Amino acid sequence: MILEKIKEMLAEQEFIDGSTITPETTFEELELDSLSLVDLTMSCEEEFGVSLDNQLENPPKTIGELIDIIKAQTGEE
């Protein structure tokens, strides 16, 4: 569920083909700049009701790491 929603966000915001995204996909592979990462972070906070502010010092490097952070805050499996 979370992965699918993140794929939708990236497809909508960055015009990235969601079918190519897996939990192992890195943000570097997606070629997202810092502004794009901020946009994705804000979208995730709004969509999932989480706070990702504390991730600024050690941001996630993969989609899977982002999903794990969201799951930890929402209790989703």
Side-chain angles (χ1 to χ4, degrees):
M1 166 78 179
I2 295 172
L3 176 60
E4 293 306 314
K5 190 60 187 172
I6 290 173
K7 286 180 180 184
E8 288 175 24
M9 289 177 195
L10 288 169
E12 185 177 301
Q13 295 174 358
E14 302 298 325
F15 307 105
I16 295 172
D17 179 7
S19 67
T20 65
I21 298 172
T22 67
E24 293 78 27
T25 303
T26 67
F27 294 109
E28 186 176 313
E29 290 171 333
L30 296 174
E31 298 179 357
L32 298 180
D33 61 17
S34 58
L35 182 57
S36 296
L37 288 173
V38 169
D39 287 343
L40 178 61
T41 298
M42 291 173 54
S43 294
C44 286
E45 288 180 331
E46 186 176 312
E47 177 68 30
F48 301 110
V50 296
S51 175
L52 301 174
D53 291 343
N54 59 350
Q55 302 304 316
L56 296 176
E57 289 181 21
N58 189 20
K61 295 182 181 6
T62 66
I63 297 293
E65 288 176 8
L66 176 60
I67 291 170
D68 290 342
I69 293 165
I70 293 168
K71 284 182 176 179
Q73 291 189 34
T74 63
E76 274 194 53
E77 289 296 318

